[in-house]
Amino acid sequence: MEHKKVRVRFAPSPTGGLHLGGMRTVLFNYLYARQHKGDFVLRIEDTDQTRYVAGAEEYILECLRWCGLEADEGPHAGGPYGPYRQSERKDMYRQYAEQLVKDGYAYYAFDTPEELDAMRARLKTDDNPSPQYNHIVRPHMRNSLRLLPEETAQLLAAGTPHVIRIKMPASEEVAFTDMIRGEVQFNTGTVDDKVLLKADGMPTYHLAVVVDDYLMKISHVFRGEEWLPSAPVHILLWRYLGWEEQMPQWAHLPLILRPDGNGKLSKRDGDRLGFPVYAMNWNDPRSGEFTKGFREMGYLPEAFINMLAMLGWNDGTGQELFTLDELVEKFSVSRVHHAGARFNIEKANWFNHQYLVKADNRRLAQLLMPLLQEKGVQASEEYVANIAGMVKERCNLVNEIWDHSFFFFQQPETYDTAAVKPKWNADKRQFFLEWGSVLETLSDFSLAGIEDSFKQLATSMNMKVGELQLPLRIMLCGGKFGPPVFNIAEMLGKHETIARIMKAVPVFDA
RNA sequence: GCCGCGUUGGUCAAGGGGUUAAGACGCAUCCCUUUCACGGAUGAAUCACGGGUUCGAUUCCCGUACGCGGUACCA
């Protein structure tokens, strides 16, 4: 068992956008697999036909691709343990459920949804708000445990709709060692008789995970903490199916919580608080609802991943910036925090800033192109790259580069005159007019050339350089922002610089 | 209700019987810069509560409180 090859899986259900928590589960699976030279499998858990959403699977694949966390096996890549969509494996599950019935670990239940509702309504009290179908109530329901064998046989023969439920022992301790939490124990008496096979012949999650993890030789399961309560069901299934020796090791990851208040982070929180929750834009074909994702908001995938990794894990040294390779090398399950972590968009922005500053300018230019096109701007990639390099350190998101550099692409329409007018006078006006003609004849329109001419003229006119820089900035940008002024002038080029000065002077005069 | 998992500054968190209880984000002040940012410096701010155990508990044990998760023919 210790020598078993590491095989992990990410098993989402294709029902909508992939959010933060899901992506972090992907990450941890990926890190563990790579670290142990194992396999990372993607399995689509689409056993609920009613929740199927067109495009969700492709969307998930694209999210993994964006982050560079692609699976080795899956519906997209194939592999020796396919098919990797549970809907395509439908026929494989029934036999296991039947075997469990035969072995006395499960039973047929013929209760209709209405009968189940009635049972719950009848048993519901303040002390027991959600009655379970368990060892206490099952003797009173329509199932093969209570019915005579011939009655059951008859119902079955007649094709009566039925499910197969696991028969949880009345009181047995089920314990296991969670890789993150250590010893965890449950009493089976508190767990209900989960449905394993639904009336439509599809397995539920509980049966499908166990069967598929077994068939796909999964060695370690990383999943959200919300699955912890159903772990005893899964463990019993492994045991009842006779596969306990092959059972994977469990690791229940802490949840990612809302930044404010209480509860698990949801898409709604993002909408309400104005930050993304999904990895990429998601357009729900059913509701028509559109949700913005990290990618389109201008986050870099490496920053996104780094941020996700630090949400619940750290290496103990205080280091916060890690490349994917470093994470692969340093990740350790024992250092995963036990408690849930509140998501903090400010910190996410800081991570992105770190990577944005380090990012290659050509790449930033390419990422920016769609936005520029949207703004109706035409510029060469080289020009955009230079500009991105100039302003990126004052941005958190790729998309913010525009907000800090738009004046490179279009002349100011309005000016922050309040910042210049109080100190605007004839001398300054004269200075800019003269400097304009100096620039005309300037052969060396380089940063140094521009700056020197500016300073020389200022000195010769007995004026303070510092007091002239702000007006110049406002002439060129329209306001008090942007990179160092002379850099802007250089980037704009001689003609544009002069044009902007001449355009602004009368505005300042007015 | 029941079951499970948690609880170190506003947030992410290190630490783990004796520490001035790291670091990061954010915030504040200052320096740099006649824009903004970056960078630098400084600062405010934390061991949920109550019992044990111990010479000594933030750290170990037990309770309590609080939070979260689960309690579907959803995953």
Side-chain angles (χ1 to χ4, degrees), chain A residues 318-333:
Chain A
Q319 180 178 345
E320 292 196 279
L321 265 13
F322 296 89
T323 62
L324 224 206
D325 287 343
E326 278 179 300
L327 287 174
V328 167
E329 184 196 330
K330 297 182 174 172
F331 177 73
S332 79
V333 185

Side-chain angles (χ1 to χ4, degrees), chain A residues 20 259-260 265-278 291-294 297 299 343-346 348-349 397 400:
Chain A
L20 282 176
D260 66 329
L265 181 70
S266 76
K267 184 185 79 64
R268 288 269 163 243
D269 300 312
D271 297 345
R272 186 170 51 82
L273 272 14
F275 61 80
V277 168
Y278 288 161
T291 312
K292 270 222 161 206
F294 279 90
M297 292 269 291
Y299 290 84
F343 177 66
N344 182 192
I345 192 65
E346 300 286 347
N349 289 338
L397 309 179
E400 285 172 2

Side-chain angles (χ1 to χ4, degrees), chain A residues 431 434 438 453-463 465:
Chain A
F431 171 85
E434 284 194 26
V438 171
S453 71
F454 189 87
K455 288 179 178 167
Q456 272 170 30
L457 182 61
T459 313
S460 73
M461 290 178 74
N462 229 327
M463 298 178 77
V465 175

Side-chain angles (χ1 to χ4, degrees), chain A residues 6 8 28-40 68-72 324 328-329:
Chain A
V6 168
V8 301
F28 286 9
N29 268 290
Y30 177 92
L31 296 179
Y32 196 80
R34 287 292 164 273
Q35 185 175 78
H36 296 275
K37 309 268 180 276
D39 303 323
F40 176 33
L69 303 176
E70 284 172 272
D72 306 306
L324 224 206
V328 167
E329 184 196 330

